[in-house]
Amino acid sequence: MALTVNDVDRFEASRPRLEAIAYRLLGSASEAEDAVQETFLRWQAADVGHVEVPEAWLTKVLTNLCLNQLTSARARRETYVGQWLPEPLLAGDPMLGPADTAEQRESVSYAVLALLERLSPNERAVYVLREAFDYPHREIAGMLDITEAASQQIFHRAKKHVADGKARTEIDEAAARRIVDEFLAAATSGETEPLVRLLTQDAISIGDGGGKVPARTKAFEGALAVAKFMRGLFKPGKAKRALVGGSPEVHATTANGDPAIVAVLDGRVIGVICLEVTAEGIAAVRNQANPDKLERATRQWAAAEHGEPLFRVF
């Protein structure tokens, strides 16, 4: 049956929520968009007049599409070149979804998205639906074709896995800006010690180039190793300018709610560095440089207002 205007409107009203769910499940904005579009095609082919609760129907279809995608994604990531990191979303991106509670904000943080990669597809789905969107276990069980008790058990197991790997500190926008300013001042000082003081002793630095741009295949571990790498990364040089095609502008912002540094060249985002902040200091520096994972960030950057760059690097 052909969809009526009302049927299309009902779907479009659900699109922002569906995209936010899909992004948390997949860690990829482009894959999330594809999953939501496929959900629309399923909606288009269904006898929607007999769908009693459209939101539940659409969420179930989307979730199961994402579960299938996660299974195949695991196989692809085994052959991924270098480290795999989620696709960052800049401040104001509607795909970030609800941010009314600490749990909702935390569920989309870059640190937690990285931790979610450790979970099984079912664990990830239950965690996201319950923690970020507050679906009752009864509804989650119906979406995943499991029992309510199983949903509760899976959630507690998933939450423990995520909690064991994080000690993130929630900060506001002003604090995020101060952290970025301090980090950049230390990284560009030409000395290692100022940066070491900002990092936790067991800090790590991970870069995702996806085989498209140079990135170390193993993480830097320990405050001193991370500090030396970051000092070198921000050190000017002709070879670096030639590699990226110019001198990028550096901006302070947030990505996935975390303090972030954005490098922009000729209007194109070429790197997003997310800082994971704990009570002890900066615990992780995650640098997304894979151009395939920065296309949405570039579109969002072009559409948003932002101030003057802090400086030009290289």
Side-chain angles (χ1 to χ4, degrees):
M1 294 179 61
L3 294 181
T4 66
V5 172
N6 186 53
D7 294 331
V8 174
D9 287 344
R10 283 197 294 176
F11 180 87
E12 291 303 323
S14 296
R15 184 184 290 274
R17 178 181 53 83
L18 295 174
E19 288 189 344
I21 292 173
Y23 172 70
R24 284 168 168 81
L25 288 176
L26 300 173
S28 165
S30 58
E31 291 179 4
E33 289 172 340
D34 290 344
V36 172
Q37 186 58 29
E38 179 61 29
T39 302
F40 175 73
L41 295 178
R42 301 287 179 93
W43 176 250
Q44 193 174 38
D47 185 359
V48 298
H50 289 84
V51 175
E52 294 184 2
V53 186
E55 177 182 324
W57 189 95
L58 291 168
T59 305
K60 178 173 183 175
V61 170
L62 174 80
T63 300
N64 283 281
L65 286 170
C66 289
L67 287 175
N68 292 336
Q69 182 76 1
L70 280 172
T71 302
S72 62
R74 286 193 162 200
R76 290 198 309 275
R77 287 169 195 171
E78 289 178 1
T79 59
Y80 191 81
V81 179
Q83 299 281 336
W84 186 95
L85 288 174
E87 184 174 343
L89 298 181
L90 300 183
D93 193 316
M95 196 176 279
L96 288 169
D100 298 326
T101 67
E103 290 79 11
Q104 289 172 337
R105 292 188 293 274
E106 186 173 74
S107 72
V108 78
S109 73
Y110 215 53
V112 168
L113 285 178
L115 286 169
L116 291 181
E117 290 295 308
R118 303 179 184 179
L119 305 182
S120 70
N122 258 21
E123 286 175 335
R124 188 164 183 164
V126 172
Y127 180 86
V128 166
L129 291 170
R130 179 62 183 162
E131 189 79 346
F133 295 90
D134 203 29
Y135 280 97
H137 284 290
R138 175 178 52 80
E139 291 186 23
I140 296 173
M143 294 176 195
L144 301 180
D145 295 322
I146 57 177
T147 66
E148 186 172 348
S151 177
Q152 293 171 337
Q153 291 172 355
I154 291 170
F155 174 71
H156 290 306
R157 186 167 64 243
K159 192 168 185 178
K160 183 178 185 302
H161 287 324
V162 173
D164 285 347
K166 67 175 178 64
R168 179 175 174 268
T169 299
E170 190 172 6
I171 54 178
D172 59 24
E173 187 174 342
R177 176 58 187 266
R178 289 195 300 272
I179 290 168
V180 170
D181 287 344
E182 290 177 7
F183 181 85
L184 287 173
T188 57
S189 68
E191 300 178 1
T192 303
E193 184 57 33
L195 197 50
V196 169
R197 289 197 296 267
L198 295 178
L199 300 167
T200 62
Q201 187 175 357
D202 59 350
I204 61 170
S205 176
I206 302 172
D208 180 348
K212 306 294 180 68
V213 298
R216 182 181 166 92
T217 56
K218 291 185 178 181
F220 289 93
E221 299 182 358
L224 184 59
V226 173
K228 287 181 177 179
F229 170 67
M230 298 309 301
R231 184 188 65 185
L233 180 65
F234 283 95
K235 186 177 181 180
K238 292 182 179 180
K240 293 177 183 176
R241 287 194 295 272
L243 180 65
V244 302
S247 297
E249 297 176 344
V250 174
H251 294 261
T253 185
T254 60
N256 295 73
D258 295 323
I261 301 158
V262 178
V264 182
L265 182 64
D266 298 330
R268 178 171 54 91
V269 175
I270 64 169
V272 177
I273 298 177
C274 294
L275 305 178
E276 180 184 344
V277 181
T278 69
E280 290 75 36
I282 297 171
V285 182
R286 298 182 175 90
N287 180 18
Q288 183 56 262
N290 183 346
D292 294 341
K293 297 183 181 181
L294 295 172
E295 292 179 358
R296 184 180 179 93
T298 294
R299 295 197 303 270
Q300 291 299 121
W301 186 261
E305 292 291 333
H306 41 79
E308 292 297 313
L310 300 176
F311 57 87
R312 285 183 177 270
V313 72
F314 308 154

